[in-house]
Amino acid sequence: MMESGVPVCNSCGEQVGINANGELFVACHECNFSICKACVDLEIKEGRKLCLRCGAPYDENSLDDAEVKVSGNRSTMAAHLSDPQEGGLHARHVSSVSTVDSELNDESGNPIWKNRVESWKDKKNKKKKTASKAEIKAEKDGRVPSEQQMEDKLSADAAQPLSAIIPIPSTKLTPYRAVIIMRLIILSLFFHYRITHPVDSAFGLWLTSVICEIWFAFSWVLDQFPKWSPINRETFIDRLSARFEREGEPSQLAAVDFFVSTVDPLKEPPLITANTVLSILAVDYPVDKVSCYLSDDGAAMLTFESLVETSEFARKWVPFCKKFAIEPRAPEFYFAQKIDYLKDKVQPSFVKERRAMKRDYEEFKVRINGLVAKAQKTPEEGWTMQDGTSWPGNNTRDHPGMIQVFLGHTGAHDIEGLELPRLVYVSREKRPGYQHHKKAGAENALVRVSAVLTNAPYILNLDCDHYVNNSKAVREAMCFLMDPQVGRDLCYVQFPQRFDGIDRSDRYANRNTVFFDVNMKGLDGLQGPVYVGTGCVFNRQALYGYGPSSMPSLPKSSSSSCSWCGCCSCCCPSKKTPKDPSDVYRDAKREELDAAIFNLREIDNYDEHERSMLISQMSFEKTFGLSSVFIESTLMENGGVPESVNPAALINEAIHVIGCGYEEKTAWGKEIGWIYGSVTEDILTGFKMHCRGWRSIYCMPVRPAFKGSAPINLSDRLHQVLRWALGSVEIFLSRHCPLWYGFAGGRLKWLQRLAYTNTIVYPFTSLPLIAYCTIPAVCLLTGKFIIPTLSNLASTLFLGLFMSIIVTSVLELRWSGISIEDWWRNEQFWVIGGVSAHLFAVFQGFLKMLAGVDTNFTVTSKAADDGEFGELYIVKWTTVLIPPTTLIIINLVGVVAGFSDALNKGYEAWGPLFGKVFFAFWVILHLYPFLKGLMGRQNRTPTIVVLWSVLLASVFSLVWVRINPFVGKAANSSLSQGCISIDC
C-alpha cells in the first residue's frame, strides 16, 4: 500500500497517531521506536515501563497528552447479493446471467464512476469536518480488538503471537553450511586441475566434459545457496480464536474468497471438482466469511449441472461434517479411508448418520456420473436447459459471460436450517479475436467478480483436483495474515502440495518432496517461498499491485529520474518536487504503478490538487478498467462491499467485469492480478510481488492442508514437467527475467534472486546433461577417456569432491527430515526429466518466443491395466521418450563393448575400463525408473527381461570380440604373420 507520513505501531499494526500539540507521538525519545499510546499504556499497566527496543524508560509526561489519530474506513459486507429470483439453489436457468452491456453513463451522459467518486469525496470531506475527537476515539475503539485497549478483557492467549519461527538447530545447520563452503573450495581446486590438465588424445571429449561440469557447478550454486537459512514455523490456532472469536460477539476473522478453476469436465472429472467444492463449503470457518467461486473456463453445461447437484448435496454434507468434526471433508476421500471410523466418535447417532450419508453420497455419485454419460455426445442442436432455452456456452469460443449464485444469503439453508457459505458459478465471456490468457485470465476474472460480489480481503486459490484435507487450513493461514506484526508485509501464505494415489515407491518423484520439504523451507528463511499455483492464500491488496505498508521510502534520486524498479519496467519522472520523505514515497509509488492506486487511509493526506490528479478517469481506466463498483472495492483495504453500492445491481456489474474486452488498455496481467506471458503464471506472479518488497510465508501443518491428484504414469508425468519447463523458458526470454528485472530499490534479496534465477534456467541444464550422459558411451566405444592418468593430488581432489557431495546430501536429509529414498527418486527424475522434457522445452520455447512457432507434443494412450495403480502401467507414446531411450541403449551397448574390448586386450585394459564403466552405470542407474516404465507392469517382466538381456549381451560380446574394431588392419596383419612363423 501507499504509506502515509504517520508511521505504524510495531505492536498492534495501527498508526502511531499524534499528540495534543499536533506532533507525531513518540514514546521513547532515545531510539524513536514506533509504538502507539494504547500499546504503551498496556505495557505500563503490566509493569513494563522500558522501551521494547533500547530499554530506555518511557516519558510518562508525554503519554498523558497524547491522542490517537484515526484513518481509514471499514465497511461491512453487504447482506444480500441480489434478490432470490436472481440466484437460488434450484435455479437451472441462466437467463439472469447472460452478458449484460453495463450502462457506463447516467441520464445526463456523465460517467458513473466520476459521480460515484465525487460523492465518495463529498462524504469523506463532510465526515472529516463534523467528526469530533470523541467520535474518532469511539471509531478507533470499535476497530481495534478490545484486548489491545482494556486490561480486564485481555486474555493470555490473545496477547501472544499467533505464530512462531522454529529455527533449525545449530548442531544441524552449522555443519551443513561448513560443508557447503568446503565443497565450493574443492570445486575451485577441481576445476583448476581439470583445466590445466587437458587430454590431448581426446581433446573434444575433454572440452565438452569440462564445459558441462562448469554448468553443473553453476546450477548447484543457484540451487544450494538459497537454502542457506532454512526455518520451520509453528501456528497457534487457539490464540487466533481467543483474539478474534469471543463468545457472544460476532466473529472478527477476515473473510476469504476461494477460487476453484476448471476447463474441460471430460478431462477434469466433475466428481473430483464437486469433492473440492464440498470440502471448501464444509471448512472450519465462519460461514459468513467463506465464499466459493468456481471458474468454468470451458462454459460446459456439464460443469454447471454438476454444481447444481453439488449445492443440493452440500445441504446434507456440510452439517454432517461440522457435527462430527470429520477429516477430510471431501466425501470421496473420507469414505475411501481404510481406518476405524468409530475411533474417538462417542455419539451414539454417528454410525447411523454415517451410513445414511454414505448412501446419499452414492446416490449423488450416480447422478453426477449420469450427467457425465449424457455429456459424452453433444446434440447437433446444442445443449438445452430445463426451461427450454439454449445453453449460452454451446460455442466454447464465442459465448457471453455467465454468473449464477447457488448458495449463501439468497440461497437455501442446510437441512438443519443453518446458513451455508456462498457458492458462485462463473464463466467469463469469450469472443473470437481476443486473447484470453488461459488460467491466468480466468483467475483475474475471478478476482474482479469476487471484488464486486463479496470483496474478501484474502483469496485462496485451488486447482479443481486439490481438495481441503485439513478443515483448519484457513485458520493456519490467518495466524500469519491477521497477525499485526507478521501480516503487514505479507503477500501470500503458500502450503505444500501433497498427493493421493501415488505408488509406494513414487517411481517418478510425483511427490516432489525435496522441493517442498527442502527448497521451500530454505526460501522461507529468506523472502519467502515461490508461488506454486495452488494451495495459496493471497492478500488481495498485493494482487492489486500495491507495495507493502512497511516498505522503506525510496531515495530522492529514484523519484527524479527514470530507472527500473521492483514492480514495473520503467518509471516516469516526478512532476512535483518532494518536500518530505512521505512525499517522496507517494511519488515513487505513483511512478511504480503508473496510475493512481491508493486507499482510504491515506487519501486525507493529499491536498485538493493531488486528489483531483489521483481521482482521474485516465488513471483509473489505465489501472483497473472501467467499473465504478470494482474501483470503489479496491479502496476497501479490509474488504467488504461498499455501502454506497446497490446490491440489486451487483450481478450486472459482475457480468461487466468478466467481459472479454474489459482488460484492454489496463494493467491487468501486466502489473496487477495474475501476470501474463508464461504458461507458468504462478512463478511470474509471485516474482512480481517479491520484487515490490512483499514477503511470503511457508505453512506446513502437521495434517496436510490440501491434497491433489498427480499424473503417475511416465508419459503424463513427462508432459507435465515439459509444461513447467516451457514456462520457465518463456520467463527467461521475457522482460521479467530475474537476471535483469527488478534491481532498483533493493527489494528483492540476492539469495531470493538466485532462487528465482534457478527456476528459469534449470531447463537449460538439459543440454550439458544429455551431452554428459552420452560421453560414457562414446568413451567405451572409442577406447578414449576424458580424464588423464590420475596423480595422488588428482585422486585426492576427486575423492574430496565425491565425499563433499555425499556429506552435503546427508546433512540436508538430516535437517529437512526427508528420507533417502525420496532424495534418490528426486535425483533420478532430475536426470530423466533433464534429458527428455527439459530438452524439448528449451527448443519449443525458442521456437515459440523467437520464431512464433507453437509446437505441441501430444500424448496418446496405447494400453492400460486394471488395479489400484493401473495408470502407472499405461504405455503411452510421445516424442519426449526418444532421447532417454536412446541414452539407455547406447550406454548398455557401450558397457558390453567395453567389457569385450577389455577381454580382448588383457589385464592392463581393466584399470581404464573401471572409470568408463562407472560413468556409464551412473547414467543407467539414474535412468532405471524410465527403463522400468518402458517395460510395463511391475512384477511381470523382470525374469524374461533378465533372460533376454543376458542372451543379447552374450551375442553382442561374441560379435564384438570377433569384429575386434579397436585393432587396426596393420596390427592384424603383423599378428597373423607372427602366428604363422611360430607355427612353422
Side-chain angles (χ1 to χ4, degrees):
M1 304 291 163
M2 293 178 62
E3 191 177 64
S4 65
V6 182
V8 178
C9 175
N10 287 305
S11 179
C12 66
E14 298 295 337
Q15 290 187 356
V16 171
I18 59 176
N19 57 25
N21 298 327
E23 299 176 350
L24 186 68
F25 171 70
V26 178
C28 177
H29 293 281
E30 297 293 331
C31 64
N32 293 329
F33 182 62
S34 297
I35 186 169
C36 65
K37 181 179 181 297
C39 293
V40 174
D41 291 340
L42 180 60
E43 291 289 318
I44 293 176
K45 287 179 180 180
E46 294 182 350
R48 298 187 293 269
K49 299 184 179 182
L50 303 179
C51 177
L52 299 176
R53 175 183 290 176
C54 66
Y58 289 124
D59 184 3
E60 298 187 15
N61 294 328
S62 63
L63 300 181
D64 298 333
D65 301 329
E67 64 180 9
V68 180
K69 182 179 180 182
V70 174
S71 59
N73 182 22
R74 298 179 181 233
S75 299
T76 57
M77 299 176 67
H80 300 282
L81 293 177
S82 57
D83 59 45
Q85 287 82 5
E86 290 192 24
L89 177 62
H90 300 287
R92 291 178 178 263
H93 62 86
V94 288
S95 58
S96 64
V97 298
S98 300
T99 300
V100 178
D101 294 329
S102 300
E103 296 294 336
L104 303 181
N105 298 320
D106 59 14
E107 295 179 357
S108 60
N110 296 321
I112 287 180
W113 71 267
K114 185 175 181 180
N115 295 337
R116 189 180 301 277
V117 174
E118 290 297 331
S119 63
W120 170 75
K121 279 206 315 177
D122 293 339
K123 286 195 296 183
K124 287 295 295 179
N125 293 334
K126 182 178 180 181
K127 185 175 181 180
K128 183 177 179 181
K129 292 178 181 179
T130 59
S132 64
K133 293 183 179 180
E135 291 172 340
I136 294 177
K137 180 77 174 178
E139 185 183 357
K140 178 72 176 182
D141 293 341
R143 290 188 332 125
V144 179
S146 58
E147 67 271 8
Q148 298 179 8
Q149 305 169 34
M150 296 180 292
E151 185 180 14
D152 55 340
K153 291 186 178 181
L154 183 66
S155 66
D157 287 341
Q160 295 175 346
L162 302 180
S163 63
I165 295 176
I166 306 176
I168 306 295
S170 58
T171 55
K172 296 181 179 179
L173 201 55
T174 302
Y176 176 67
R177 292 173 174 173
V179 171
I180 291 176
I181 298 299
M182 187 183 303
R183 181 172 171 181
L184 198 61
I185 296 173
I186 294 174
L187 269 175
S188 302
L189 298 175
F190 171 79
F191 283 121
H192 178 267
Y193 171 81
R194 291 284 282 138
I195 294 173
T196 57
H197 291 77
V199 181
D200 296 330
S201 59
F203 186 81
L205 291 176
W206 168 83
L207 183 61
T208 302
S209 65
V210 169
I211 294 174
C212 294
E213 289 161 2
I214 291 174
W215 179 266
F216 295 151
F218 170 71
S219 62
W220 171 77
V221 170
L222 292 180
D223 180 68
Q224 193 71 59
F225 277 87
K227 297 182 283 189
W228 186 260
S229 302
I231 60 172
N232 294 312
R233 294 185 185 270
E234 182 181 8
T235 56
F236 306 105
I237 299 179
D238 52 343
R239 298 178 185 176
L240 180 76
S241 299
R243 181 175 297 186
F244 297 105
E245 292 182 298
R246 295 182 178 276
E247 187 175 356
E249 299 179 8
S251 173
Q252 298 299 315
L253 290 173
V256 180
D257 288 338
F258 286 77
F259 292 175
V260 180
S261 55
T262 183
V263 180
D264 187 351
L266 299 181
K267 295 181 179 179
E268 300 165 333
L271 185 62
I272 299 300
T273 304
N275 272 269
T276 300
V277 172
L278 289 170
S279 69
I280 293 172
L281 298 178
V283 73
D284 182 8
Y285 209 69
V287 292
D288 60 323
K289 307 289 185 178
V290 175
S291 301
C292 179
Y293 292 84
L294 177 70
S295 170
D296 177 19
D297 218 31
M301 187 174 176
L302 172 58
T303 302
F304 179 82
E305 291 290 336
S306 64
L307 200 61
V308 173
E309 296 290 349
T310 303
S311 62
E312 176 67 24
F313 180 70
R315 299 178 61 241
K316 302 177 183 178
W317 176 251
V318 172
F320 171 76
C321 293
K322 295 186 175 181
K323 181 178 181 180
F324 298 107
I326 67 169
E327 296 284 2
R329 299 188 178 181
E332 181 71 19
F333 302 95
Y334 168 69
F335 291 121
Q337 291 181 115
K338 298 178 181 179
I339 60 173
D340 181 11
Y341 62 85
L342 296 176
K343 184 179 180 181
D344 300 328
K345 305 298 182 186
V346 295
Q347 297 93 332
S349 61
F350 174 67
V351 176
K352 181 179 179 181
E353 291 193 32
R354 185 185 186 276
R355 289 173 179 170
M357 183 56 61
K358 189 171 184 179
R359 286 194 300 270
D360 289 338
Y361 178 64
E362 293 299 328
E363 294 174 0
F364 168 72
K365 288 174 65 176
V366 170
R367 293 194 297 271
I368 294 295
N369 291 333
L371 293 174
V372 174
K374 178 183 175 182
Q376 296 299 318
K377 186 177 180 180
T378 305
E380 294 182 1
E381 66 279 4
W383 298 107
T384 305
M385 295 178 290
Q386 288 192 356
D387 60 357
T389 58
S390 178
W391 171 249
N394 278 324
N395 187 342
T396 58
R397 298 183 179 181
D398 187 4
H399 65 83
M402 296 177 281
I403 296 177
Q404 185 72 31
V405 181
F406 287 106
L407 299 176
H409 296 293
T410 60
H413 292 72
D414 64 25
I415 58 175
E416 297 182 358
L418 300 177
E419 183 183 340
L420 287 168
R422 188 177 289 104
L423 177 61
V424 184
Y425 170 88
V426 179
S427 180
R428 58 181 173 144
E429 183 185 16
K430 294 282 187 71
R431 299 298 182 192
Y434 286 91
Q435 177 61 262
H436 298 105
H437 302 289
K438 299 182 180 179
K439 181 182 177 181
E443 295 286 353
N444 283 338
L446 287 183
V447 171
R448 297 190 294 273
V449 167
S450 62
V452 171
L453 298 183
T454 52
N455 197 33
Y458 301 108
I459 294 171
L460 196 161
N461 84 296
L462 292 172
D463 289 342
C464 62
D465 61 340
H466 276 69
Y467 64 92
V468 181
N469 183 63
N470 183 348
S471 62
K472 297 183 183 296
V474 183
R475 295 177 180 270
E476 297 273 356
M478 291 301 116
C479 287
F480 301 107
L481 292 165
M482 296 191 69
D483 191 305
Q485 296 185 16
V486 179
R488 283 180 300 166
D489 60 348
L490 197 57
C491 57
Y492 60 81
V493 175
Q494 178 66 62
F495 291 87
Q497 291 187 20
R498 302 294 188 227
F499 301 98
D500 288 317
I502 298 177
D503 63 305
R504 184 178 301 176
S505 63
D506 192 15
R507 183 184 298 179
Y508 308 123
N510 281 283
R511 294 190 180 94
N512 214 352
T513 309
V514 172
F515 174 76
F516 286 112
D517 290 16
V518 180
N519 296 53
M520 296 287 268
K521 284 183 180 180
L523 291 176
D524 199 15
L526 302 176
Q527 202 169 339
V530 298
Y531 168 43
V532 296
T534 183
C536 186
V537 186
F538 284 97
N539 182 341
R540 185 184 286 269
Q541 298 294 320
L543 285 171
Y544 287 159
Y546 291 90
S549 59
S550 60
M551 187 170 61
S553 300
L554 295 176
K556 187 173 182 179
S557 60
S558 67
S559 61
S560 59
S561 60
C562 289
S563 62
W564 277 31
C565 64
C567 58
C568 66
S569 59
C570 60
C571 300
C572 301
S574 176
K575 296 182 180 180
K576 183 178 180 179
T577 304
K579 298 179 181 180
D580 54 49
S582 62
D583 290 334
V584 175
Y585 184 83
R586 286 199 299 269
D587 291 339
K589 290 300 295 176
R590 205 175 304 141
E591 293 168 4
E592 288 176 357
L593 296 179
D594 200 19
I597 298 179
F598 56 95
N599 57 56
L600 292 176
R601 187 180 69 183
E602 298 163 350
I603 191 66
D604 291 336
N605 296 326
Y606 291 85
D607 56 32
E608 292 299 327
H609 172 72
E610 289 173 322
R611 289 181 192 176
S612 62
M613 180 183 66
L614 287 173
I615 306 175
S616 65
Q617 182 177 9
M618 183 181 297
S619 60
F620 274 122
E621 288 180 355
K622 190 173 183 180
T623 306
F624 294 120
L626 190 59
S627 170
S628 57
V629 178
F630 177 75
I631 289 173
E632 192 166 354
S633 72
T634 63
L635 307 177
M636 312 294 291
E637 179 183 351
N638 299 293
V641 178
E643 295 177 353
S644 59
V645 176
N646 180 12
L650 289 181
I651 291 292
N652 287 342
E653 192 66 25
I655 290 288
H656 169 56
V657 298
I658 59 173
C660 57
Y662 183 85
E663 294 183 354
E664 291 205 350
K665 297 182 180 180
T666 68
W668 285 101
K670 303 179 185 70
E671 301 300 332
I672 61 178
W674 269 256
I675 306 302
Y676 304 149
S678 171
V679 294
T680 53
E681 70 287 330
D682 46 4
I683 296 293
L684 201 53
T685 302
F687 173 65
K688 294 275 284 188
M689 292 182 182
H690 283 136
C691 284
R692 295 187 185 108
W694 293 97
R695 69 180 312 273
S696 55
I697 277 180
Y698 196 49
C699 182
M700 295 182 64
V702 176
R703 179 179 179 85
F706 311 101
K707 281 191 174 182
S709 305
I712 63 174
N713 71 71
L714 178 61
S715 302
D716 287 350
R717 173 70 166 135
L718 290 177
H719 196 70
Q720 180 189 58
V721 173
L722 170 62
R723 179 182 175 276
W724 294 342
L726 176 60
S728 296
V729 175
E730 289 174 341
I731 297 174
F732 176 81
L733 298 174
S734 71
R735 73 182 184 95
H736 291 119
C737 178
L739 291 173
W740 52 73
Y741 182 85
F743 276 93
R747 299 166 192 164
L748 189 66
K749 295 183 179 180
W750 279 101
L751 289 181
Q752 190 82 10
R753 186 178 297 279
L754 281 183
Y756 273 111
T757 302
N758 187 45
T759 62
I760 58 102
V761 302
Y762 78 88
F764 297 96
T765 304
S766 59
L767 299 174
L769 183 60
I770 200 167
Y772 210 71
C773 290
T774 307
I775 287 175
V778 175
C779 290
L780 288 166
L781 292 172
T782 60
K784 299 177 180 179
F785 200 35
I786 58 176
I787 299 174
T789 303
L790 296 180
S791 62
N792 292 334
L793 175 61
S795 301
T796 304
L797 285 176
F798 275 90
L799 182 61
L801 181 60
F802 285 120
M803 289 300 298
S804 65
I805 294 174
I806 294 172
V807 174
T808 304
S809 302
V810 169
L811 292 177
E812 201 166 86
L813 297 178
R814 185 166 173 253
W815 67 253
S816 65
I818 67 173
S819 66
I820 191 171
E821 182 181 15
D822 290 327
W823 174 83
W824 175 237
R825 291 301 186 200
N826 181 79
E827 290 296 307
Q828 287 180 313
F829 200 78
W830 174 73
V831 176
I832 295 172
V835 299
S836 55
H838 298 171
L839 180 68
F840 278 77
V842 171
F843 287 107
Q844 185 177 357
F846 275 98
L847 286 174
K848 181 177 180 180
M849 301 299 292
L850 301 181
V853 179
D854 193 2
T855 56
N856 185 26
F857 303 100
T858 56
V859 181
T860 357
S861 178
K862 298 298 181 185
D865 292 305
D866 298 328
E868 183 180 1
F869 299 111
E871 188 184 353
L872 179 66
Y873 315 113
I874 294 177
V875 180
K876 295 182 178 181
W877 172 251
T878 173
T879 321
V880 180
L881 301 178
I882 295 176
T885 306
T886 304
L887 286 175
I888 288 179
I889 293 175
I890 64 173
N891 276 279
L892 288 174
V893 171
V895 170
V896 174
F899 276 101
S900 301
D901 186 49
L903 288 172
N904 188 48
K905 288 186 176 180
Y907 176 78
E908 66 278 358
W910 287 95
L913 177 66
F914 174 77
K916 303 172 187 177
V917 171
F918 172 81
F919 285 111
F921 273 118
W922 181 90
V923 176
I924 295 171
L925 284 175
H926 280 77
L927 292 177
Y928 174 71
F930 176 83
L931 179 62
K932 198 172 182 180
L934 291 181
M935 289 190 300
R937 188 165 181 81
Q938 197 176 22
N939 298 325
R940 288 191 180 180
T941 43
T943 303
I944 190 64
V945 167
V946 169
L947 291 176
W948 275 103
S949 299
V950 171
L951 178 61
L952 290 175
S954 302
V955 171
F956 271 112
S957 299
L958 292 174
V959 171
W960 194 267
V961 171
R962 181 69 183 88
I963 297 176
N964 198 8
F966 289 101
V967 180
K969 294 182 179 180
N972 280 329
S973 177
S974 61
L975 181 61
S976 62
Q977 292 177 1
C979 292
I980 293 173
S981 62
I982 292 173
D983 290 340
C984 294

